[in-house]
Amino acid sequence: MSDLAHLRRDFPLLGRAVHGKPLVYLDSAASSQKPVQVIDAVAEFYATSYANVHRGAYTLSDEATTAYEGARAKAAAMVGAASPTEIVFTSGTTAAINTVAYGWGLDHLRAGDRIVLTVMEHHSNIVPWQLVAGRTGAELAYLRVGADHQVDLTDLEEVIDERTRIVAVSAMSNVTGTMPPVTQLAAAAHAVGAVVVVDAAQAVPHLPVDVATLGADFLAWSGHKMLGPTGIGCLWGRADRLEEMSPLQGGGEMISDVGLYESRWAPVPHKFEAGTPPIAQAVGLGAAIDYLDKVGMDAVRRHETAITGYALDRLATIPDLTVHGPTDLAVRGGAVSFTLGDIHAHDIATILDEENGVAIRAGHHCAKPLMRHLGLTSAARASFYVYTTEDEIDQLVAGLHTARRIFGLS
Ligand code: PLP
């Protein structure tokens, strides 16, 4: 057992019961729980330092601005950004990807250009590109997923061809846990002059991420999946890419001057942050980054690899159970999707909840093209984080045996 189990004490919600059983929370890929350090930081900010940012020439507004901009600097450091000005605060990964799709895509894509995605993308990294393709006449092309659950690179050069302007790829699948070879895909994209957008919603919370190593032009992630509050996320963009991108929304805060008929924009990143931003949420995100920093992202990754290995070993002992994802721990994270005979995923989730207090996700996981590739309409998914213990995996396994009994499989 990894030495991170003691962290559970920091998460008040993990102490509660469900149906009279201790809660076993295995849905961190959907959203993580929050440590008391983050909850307290948000409450403390509201109680002592809250005001709008970048506006008032008074102490409180200065303090709030310092806290808000401090969170931006922490987010920048977390992904190895060259400067805090390369971080745009958004409401989450979805908003961050839409910001690029519309802000960069509408200006730079023409009819006949190519947007390359992979079949394993979350809907957040498919639908915005479909919308922008529809508006610009660009076409979508997909890298397939192989039987090993990895991106199939055999037709890489045919798919990422001279027409390609954008390659948008997930750094970790929220369904199979697969970590695609982003650095290699980025190199192929850059070789034809394409821009690389990385959906890091499942990567930044779980392992060290460095934008330079990945070779990304844009990186998107959400605060709520990494111990932070909802309503805050980040778009990292290389400085020159952000400069050549148009703002998606107009309003206060994002201008340097406004006339009756035209306006000029504030410097990046502010030109992308119209209106009052999610101030307290940013402060909470900063506290979450401090927390993860203290644990160390290498330790987070080690813990999750150990827990995932334990889970895969235990799940392999259950008859009729199929895990849909790589077995090699080096290329996967802690999202483990599975099916159990022909028991519907929703029935599995309900039994686990009611009989064992285990919370998992069931459904298509906002990745319908990947589910179709897997030949599934739904799957159950257990997903892990810093606070997950082997004992919780044992509860999951016990619940799955109960499900087999209830459905007459044993
Ligand atoms: N991309 C991936 C891989 C995800 O797992 C998720 C959320 O589950 C998203 C994008 C969307 O994140 P959000 O709903 O926080 O915008």
Side-chain angles (χ1 to χ4, degrees):
M1 168 59 75
S2 139
D3 58 359
L4 292 192
H6 68 279
L7 296 182
R8 289 178 69 80
R9 282 191 298 252
D10 293 334
F11 293 79
L13 193 141
L14 296 179
R16 67 164 282 181
V18 171
H19 299 296
K21 315 272 179 352
L23 169 70
V24 174
Y25 186 74
L26 300 182
D27 197 20
S28 290
S31 203
S32 73
Q33 294 303 338
K34 321 299 174 197
V36 72
Q37 289 83 345
V38 168
I39 299 167
D40 285 354
V42 174
E44 171 89 4
F45 177 68
Y46 276 127
T48 65
S49 308
Y50 180 75
N52 212 328
V53 290
H54 303 136
R55 294 183 186 194
Y58 56 90
T59 304
L60 213 51
S61 179
D62 280 349
E63 284 179 16
T65 304
T66 302
Y68 179 70
E69 293 301 330
R72 194 191 306 278
K74 290 174 189 177
M78 187 174 194
V79 297
S83 158
T85 58
E86 292 185 337
I87 297 288
V88 178
F89 282 133
T90 67
S91 62
T93 307
T94 305
I97 294 172
N98 275 276
T99 300
V100 181
Y102 285 94
W104 197 89
L106 282 187
D107 285 351
H108 295 89
L109 291 170
R110 303 278 171 270
D113 287 347
R114 232 174 206 208
I115 302 166
V116 173
L117 312 174
T118 82
V119 170
M120 73 170 71
E121 301 309 312
H122 187 281
H123 296 166
S124 296
N125 201 27
I126 297 176
V127 183
W129 302 113
Q130 291 175 343
L131 289 166
V132 168
R135 297 266 288 270
T136 58
E139 67 173 39
L140 295 170
Y142 283 89
L143 289 162
R144 289 174 305 191
V145 172
D148 58 354
H149 301 283
Q150 189 49 275
V151 175
D152 184 347
L153 299 177
T154 33
D155 52 1
L156 185 65
E157 281 171 20
E158 276 149 60
V159 179
I160 301 182
D161 65 8
E162 293 298 322
R163 291 170 296 166
T164 306
R165 303 300 315 278
I166 289 175
V167 174
V169 58
S170 168
M172 186 189 290
S173 164
N174 62 308
V175 179
T176 58
T178 308
M179 290 158 50
V182 175
T183 305
Q184 192 179 347
L185 293 170
H190 286 151
V192 296
V195 165
V196 176
V197 182
V198 178
D199 173 353
Q202 299 294 343
V204 169
H206 299 288
L207 69 162
V209 168
D210 179 72
V211 289
T213 309
L214 286 179
D217 293 285
F218 293 102
L219 188 88
W221 76 98
S222 302
H224 70 95
K225 293 182 196 289
M226 50 167 287
L227 312 180
T230 53
I232 183 86
C234 298
L235 171 66
W236 166 83
R238 236 177 56 194
D240 54 338
R241 292 294 183 206
L242 289 176
E243 288 296 344
E244 66 192 29
M245 195 163 94
S246 294
L248 197 58
Q249 299 190 68
E253 295 286 303
M254 52 77 71
I255 49 81
S256 69
D257 192 24
V258 176
L260 283 180
Y261 300 102
E262 56 188 8
S263 302
R264 282 184 288 114
W265 313 141
V268 294
H270 302 291
K271 78 171 176 182
F272 300 110
E273 295 179 3
T276 297
I279 308 166
Q281 291 86 338
V283 171
L285 175 65
I289 294 170
D290 286 344
Y291 188 94
L292 287 169
D293 255 359
K294 215 160 144 202
V295 176
M297 290 309 297
D298 284 319
V300 172
R301 170 73 181 146
R302 268 198 311 276
H303 174 76
E304 287 182 33
T305 302
I307 281 290
T308 306
Y310 182 74
L312 292 177
D313 287 349
R314 295 286 279 122
L315 291 173
T317 65
I318 302 177
D320 310 309
L321 189 140
T322 307
V323 169
H324 303 279
T327 47
D328 180 358
L329 294 170
V331 294
R332 67 159 299 138
V336 179
S337 290
F338 59 89
T339 44
L340 183 55
D342 61 358
I343 309 177
H344 196 282
H346 283 140
D347 290 329
I348 297 173
T350 303
I351 291 168
L352 287 173
D353 179 58
E354 290 178 359
E355 302 284 328
N356 296 73
V358 176
I360 62 157
R361 176 91 188 263
H364 56 64
H365 310 294
C366 298
K368 282 197 158 197
L370 178 59
M371 296 299 282
R372 282 193 199 103
H373 158 78
L374 293 170
L376 302 171
T377 51
S378 73
R381 181 189 71 190
S383 56
F384 317 132
Y385 209 2
V386 278
Y387 38 67
T388 308
T389 65
E390 288 182 358
D391 185 49
E392 289 184 302
I393 306 296
D394 294 343
Q395 291 303 313
L396 168 70
V397 169
L400 292 171
H401 281 298
T402 307
R404 290 189 77 250
R405 264 198 311 281
I406 291 173
F407 277 85
L409 290 180
S410 59

